Amino acid sequence: GVKMSCPALPVIQAASPLLGRIVAAAVPPELPELEGRYPVWEEAMAHIAAPLASAADMRDCPLELLFELLFVSQQYQIPGLLVRYSLELEARLDEANVVAVLEQAVRSQATWLAVQAWRFL
């Protein structure tokens, strides 16, 4: 089978001690049990591995994928990605998506983004 390209364990641990513990506890060849779809984790791992290099691909990231990324970054306590996805969603706020962004921000406990969306209303 195909395995996802992941950054080294110390890089994951630096991004999220919680996620690092989960990944470290997996006994090869088993993979850690993570909530979320494969494409979401593929993106998240790419952003953990190269946080600055992947800034351009954020603009092409579909809104629904960004919502899922926001949720897993909160759920697995990845603060750098939570901020990054929140900023990207804030930049995309418009009349057509503000309610959906607000709902996702509340669901993901992304307080700062929720406040920005509320102000936009």
Side-chain angles (χ1 to χ4, degrees):
V2 177
K3 288 194 178 181
M4 181 184 311
S5 176
C6 292
L9 183 58
V11 174
I12 295 171
Q13 291 168 324
S16 166
L18 171 64
L19 183 58
R21 284 191 301 275
I22 293 168
V23 171
V27 179
E30 296 299 316
L31 298 174
E33 293 274 335
L34 300 172
E35 289 188 42
R37 297 181 312 117
Y38 184 90
V40 174
W41 281 106
E42 197 169 39
E43 283 290 315
M45 288 298 179
H47 297 154
I48 288 171
L52 300 177
S54 54
D57 69 16
M58 291 300 298
R59 288 186 286 275
D60 297 329
C61 189
L63 202 58
E64 290 301 319
L65 181 57
L66 267 175
F67 289 157
E68 291 180 79
L69 287 163
L70 182 75
F71 184 73
V72 299
S73 67
Q74 187 283 327
Q75 186 172 12
Y76 290 95
Q77 301 170 16
I78 314 169
L81 295 186
L82 184 63
V83 168
R84 182 170 178 195
Y85 302 144
S86 293
L87 288 171
E88 181 64 27
L89 285 164
E90 181 200 17
R92 293 188 191 190
L93 276 174
D94 63 28
E95 291 177 6
N97 70 20
V98 67
V99 172
V101 171
L102 180 58
E103 287 173 352
Q104 291 299 320
V106 170
R107 175 178 176 249
S108 300
Q109 300 174 15
T111 308
W112 179 84
L113 178 59
V115 169
Q116 299 310 310
W118 184 256
R119 287 182 180 164
F120 190 87
L121 289 173

